[in-house]
């Protein structure tokens, strides 16, 4: 196996105990912070080349969120590492009994292309903090960011304990033949099954973050301008290529007719009358993704947007109406700048619609009636829940992140 030597070397480094002391973990985390500071401009340029990411979006989602995670970890590491003393019974009164948080060992992190820095370095922060050695595999879809990570990141971290590999599908398949002690994968459900199958051969524990279709229910009682701006921002940020973006709107027919002009106004406010010329609107990552998302425009009726340009992989911020649950756009995670609106008669119909499908990674509700918000919260299941906003729960390092089932 072409990666056996590298895996063996990293495992030997972990077995040496080098990564366990708190001082070592802090030093590596601080070095990662320096990488984010010193290579910020390179990160902005690489993500702009790969995804057309606007500077604000890239700095916020790729750099700032990582630094927040880093600061939270450094501030709490000493506390997290302490043994947790537990109660003893009569016969063990004179003994010591405690829970110790032990590193897994050698961790493999496989990152996706939509947030190629954040979703590589975010898991790395946790793995370093827990005292592991790590093998990082950036996405091959974002070539410029992949090159930056492979060439620059190892210069900041201990090369004995941390390594970056560049690999396509065939090479990653060979990489997964090796035994790891933990695998952290972010990507599609189809590839997630492959990763889980490979891990099962070694009984390796895995974390799979696989995305999904995130509903957004808009009740008749709401602040229309706020709804339009926050839904548009959440949906069209990173050209819709966000795993927690609102994937579709559920609302009454009356609310749909009010929401459409408000969404149109918000899109113009954010991206101008021609979003193709806007410096604040990104592009799809590759031709295959462009063709897949473009094909979804045939669902329902285009009410806003719909323009495309294959040469630049541009798809305009688009809103679809007259969408049926059986339409292609409702059968898969969109992962592009398209927002379907599906009409429902009531909040109970919306809840039934949501519960008839896979449990989402995120669920959004807009209502000025807290009873409506609580009703949806109590009667649905999702990885994350956000009322009267979108995506913002992701900015809280104090909240856990994860999905339910296929997410």
């Amino acid at each position: 196996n072409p990666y056996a030597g590298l895996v063996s070397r990293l495992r030997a480094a972990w077995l040496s105990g080098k990564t366990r002391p708190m001082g070592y973990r802090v030093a590596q985390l601080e070095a990662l912070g320096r990488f984010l500071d010193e290579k910020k401009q390179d990160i902005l340029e690489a993500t702009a080349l790969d995804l057309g990411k606007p500077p604000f979006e890239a700095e916020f989602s790729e750099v700032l969120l990582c630094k927040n995670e880093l600061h939270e970890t450094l501030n709490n590491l000493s506390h997290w590492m302490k043994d947790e003393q537990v109660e003893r019974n009569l016969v063990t009164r004179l003994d010591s009994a405690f829970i110790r948080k032990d590193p897994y060992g050698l961790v493999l992190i496989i990152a996706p292309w939509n947030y190629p820095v954040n979703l590589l370095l975010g898991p790395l922060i946790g793995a370093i903090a827990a005292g592991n050695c790590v093998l990082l595999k950036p996405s091959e879809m974002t070539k410029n960011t992949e090159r930056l990570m492979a060439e620059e990141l190892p210069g900041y971290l201990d090369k004995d304990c941390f390594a970056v590999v560049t690999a396509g599908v065939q090479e990653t398949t060979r990489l997964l033949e090796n035994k790891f002690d933990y695998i952290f994968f972010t990507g599609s459900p189809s590839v997630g099954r492959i990763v889980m199958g490979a891990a099962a051969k070694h009984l390796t524990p895995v974390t799979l973050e696989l995305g999904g279709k995130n509903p957004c229910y808009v009740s008749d009682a709401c602040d229309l301008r706020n709804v339009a701006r926050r839904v548009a921002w959440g949906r069209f940020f990173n050209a819709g290529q966000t795993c927690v973006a609102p994937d579709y709107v559920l609302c009454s027919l009356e609310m749909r007719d009010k929401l459409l002009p408000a969404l149109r106004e918000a899109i113009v406010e954010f991206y101008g009358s021609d979003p193709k010329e806007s410096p604040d609107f990104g592009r799809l990552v590759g031709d295959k993704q462009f063709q897949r998302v473009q094909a979804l425009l045939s669902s329902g009726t285009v009410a806003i947007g719909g323009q495309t340009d294959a040469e630049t992989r541009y798809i305009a911020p688009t809103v679809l109406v007259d969408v049926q649950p059986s339409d292609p756009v409702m059968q898969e995670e969109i992962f592009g700048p398209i927002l379907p609106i599906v009409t429902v008669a009531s909040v109970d119909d919306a809840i039934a619609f949501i519960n008839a499908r896979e449990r989402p990674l995120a669920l959004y509700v807009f209502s000025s009636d807290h009873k409506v918000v609580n009703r949806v919260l109590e009667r649905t299941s999702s990885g994350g829940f956000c009322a009267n906003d979108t995506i913002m729960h992701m900015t809280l390092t104090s909240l856990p992140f994860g999905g339910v089932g296929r997410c």
Side-chain angles (χ1 to χ4, degrees):
N1 186 284
Y3 301 101
L6 175 60
V7 170
S8 177
R9 177 173 64 79
L10 291 170
R11 188 175 301 285
W14 183 74
L15 289 170
S16 74
K18 188 177 185 181
T19 61
R20 287 177 177 264
M22 189 176 87
Y24 179 87
R25 303 183 197 190
V26 168
Q28 296 305 301
L29 290 168
E30 289 177 342
L32 189 56
R34 288 194 297 275
F35 170 80
L36 287 167
D37 286 334
E38 294 172 12
K39 298 300 176 182
K40 184 178 83 168
Q41 190 57 39
D42 294 330
I43 290 169
L44 300 189
E45 290 172 6
T47 53
L49 288 169
D50 288 330
L51 289 150
K53 279 202 184 195
F56 167 76
E57 286 191 6
E59 184 167 357
F60 172 72
S61 63
E62 304 285 11
V63 179
L64 184 61
L65 290 184
C66 279
K67 291 182 73 172
N68 288 349
E69 192 80 26
L70 199 57
H71 294 152
E72 174 84 0
T73 302
L74 286 167
N75 288 339
N76 289 281
L77 185 58
S78 175
H79 171 67
W80 292 343
M81 287 181 66
K82 283 181 180 175
D83 291 342
E84 180 185 339
Q85 302 296 324
V86 298
E87 290 186 6
R88 292 157 292 170
N89 57 27
L90 185 61
V91 296
T92 60
R93 186 62 59 193
L94 299 178
D95 297 330
S96 175
F98 56 89
I99 298 168
R100 174 162 294 176
K101 291 92 172 175
D102 214 31
Y104 276 98
L106 175 55
V107 175
L108 172 64
I109 297 172
I110 303 176
W113 49 261
N114 60 325
Y115 291 94
V117 178
N118 183 329
L119 295 178
L120 184 74
L121 301 189
L124 174 62
I125 291 167
I128 293 173
N132 299 284
C133 286
V134 185
L135 184 55
L136 295 153
K137 210 294 287 183
S139 173
E140 72 278 12
M141 296 273 288
T142 44
K143 290 293 184 188
N144 295 282
T145 309
E146 179 192 47
R147 187 182 309 113
L148 175 64
M149 293 297 146
E151 293 178 359
E152 300 294 342
L153 186 58
Y156 288 80
L157 300 175
D158 181 354
K159 292 183 177 66
D160 289 341
C161 301
F162 306 98
V164 180
V165 294
T166 57
V169 175
Q170 290 183 337
E171 295 89 348
T172 304
T173 302
R174 297 303 308 277
L175 179 62
L176 286 165
E177 292 172 3
N178 294 277
K179 177 177 170 23
F180 294 92
D181 299 305
Y182 201 99
I183 298 176
F184 192 109
F185 169 80
T186 307
S188 68
S190 59
V191 180
R193 289 189 184 94
I194 294 169
V195 171
M196 199 169 194
K201 292 176 182 176
H202 301 287
L203 297 179
T204 299
V206 297
T207 290
L208 303 177
E209 197 283 276
L210 308 176
K213 292 188 77 65
N214 307 310
C216 177
Y217 174 65
V218 180
S219 82
D220 288 341
C222 64
D223 183 326
L224 197 61
R225 184 169 182 268
N226 263 357
V227 172
R229 298 177 85 241
R230 292 175 184 184
V231 170
W233 182 77
R235 172 71 276 186
F236 303 124
F237 189 92
N238 198 32
Q241 299 165 116
T242 304
C243 61
V244 291
D247 195 88
Y248 61 93
V249 166
L250 296 169
C251 66
S252 68
L253 187 60
E254 294 86 350
M255 175 50 64
R256 186 198 74 177
D257 293 341
K258 294 176 184 175
L259 191 56
L260 281 172
L263 282 168
R264 186 177 289 108
E265 185 179 321
I267 291 168
V268 171
E269 180 186 351
F270 294 162
Y271 309 114
S273 56
D274 183 5
K276 188 178 179 182
E277 301 302 320
S278 172
D280 299 317
F281 188 70
R283 297 296 185 266
L284 297 189
V285 69
D287 294 336
K288 185 178 177 182
Q289 283 296 320
F290 172 83
Q291 291 158 12
R292 183 190 63 79
V293 176
Q294 184 182 42
L296 299 178
L297 291 171
S298 62
S299 300
T301 304
V302 174
I304 300 172
Q307 300 85 1
T308 66
D309 180 3
E311 187 177 342
T312 60
R313 304 189 304 277
Y314 166 78
I315 295 180
T318 299
V319 179
L320 302 177
V321 295
D322 305 324
V323 174
Q324 301 302 312
S326 58
D327 285 342
V329 77
M330 296 301 295
Q331 303 308 305
E332 61 180 88
E333 184 178 11
I334 295 169
F335 232 61
I338 300 174
L339 181 68
I341 299 179
V342 178
T343 56
V344 291
S346 66
V347 62
D348 287 335
D349 283 353
I351 291 168
F353 189 96
I354 293 164
N355 288 339
R357 286 154 181 80
E358 294 284 349
R359 288 176 286 185
L361 183 59
L363 199 161
Y364 302 106
V365 178
F366 284 86
S367 180
S368 52
D369 185 346
H370 72 275
K371 291 181 181 177
V372 171
V373 172
N374 287 334
R375 187 171 181 80
V376 179
L377 176 59
E378 289 170 5
R379 292 186 53 195
T380 59
S381 175
S382 57
F385 182 94
C386 194
N388 296 312
D389 213 333
T390 63
I391 298 183
M392 293 307 293
H393 61 295
M394 296 295 295
T395 65
L396 292 175
T397 56
S398 53
L399 282 177
F401 174 68
V404 187
R406 282 188 57 187
C407 293

